[in-house]
Amino acid sequence: MVEKAHTAGWWPEFYQPLRSVSQKLADWIAPRSDASANSDCYEINVELPGVSPDDIDIAVHDNSLVVKGEKRSERVEDGADFYFSEREYGAFHRTFRLPPDADADDVDANYANGVLCLKIAKRQPVQSQGRKVEIRTS
């Protein structure tokens, strides 16, 4: 009985380094980005050099903005000897949680010079007009 408790505790410890490596690999492959805001919108810029706009998919799900796609390898090795290659290829995926006042129905995307610029409009606060409350008498 004691051995089962020991074994059960061993498995999570064994797999924890693999989970950490998996997260670090996902972070390494994920494109770099920055986010800012002004009075009327939020702006997210995602670096995607060498990625075709046709290979980028943008969607809004559950108040999150999801950017995913793939950077395809176009290297031709016609007898060339490569000494090193630092370029990254493959699928990428980034999810950005939208603030409560972001209008998920009003997202604009522009791609130029390897940078995807996403602008998410802010909802205008609802101005309460107020109303008089009548007092009832019994």
Side-chain angles (χ1 to χ4, degrees), residues 31-50:
R32 301 294 179 234
S33 62
D34 60 42
S36 61
N38 60 37
S39 61
D40 61 340
C41 73
Y42 294 98
E43 186 173 317
I44 300 171
N45 294 298
V46 184
E47 290 183 344
L48 297 172

Side-chain angles (χ1 to χ4, degrees), residues 59-74:
V60 177
H61 297 289
D62 299 327
N63 208 34
S64 293
L65 183 68
V66 179
V67 179
K68 60 183 176 178
E70 184 173 0
K71 182 176 181 183
R72 301 182 191 281
S73 173
E74 297 179 6

